[in-house]
Amino acid sequence: MDEQEVVRSLAALAQPVRLKVFRALVVNGQAGLTPSAMAEGMGIRPNTLSFHLKELVHAGLVTQERASRNIIYRAAYERMNALLGYLTDNCCEGAACAAEADATCKC
């Protein structure tokens, strides 16, 4: 993942509604969610949700697939993992980072 892609992904997540939608898709797994289920479950107006889903798709964090008359949105786990990998690459100078700070970890 290059720096431009990282910035685009982080910018997409730097908005409360988009972050909420993305987290809901991550939690829901490969089953995904329809826009109507998301709008109803999260209390987001459909046109507002559509705008935010478009931004998440553009950033590559969400995929969409037509299933009959519905569109199913899913978190793009490969992209999410690449983003997390980029952010944590070379953490603690390559040493395993402990959950608790200790003298060997410079995090």
Side-chain angles (χ1 to χ4, degrees), residues 24-65:
L25 290 171
V26 168
V27 168
N28 210 59
Q30 288 300 319
L33 290 167
T34 63
S36 59
M38 284 186 271
E40 185 178 311
M42 291 186 244
I44 303 169
R45 292 189 351 226
N47 60 337
T48 300
L49 178 62
S50 177
F51 169 79
H52 291 299
L53 284 169
K54 180 184 70 127
E55 292 298 313
L56 290 167
V57 169
H58 176 72
L61 293 167
V62 170
T63 64
Q64 60 184 1
E65 176 186 351

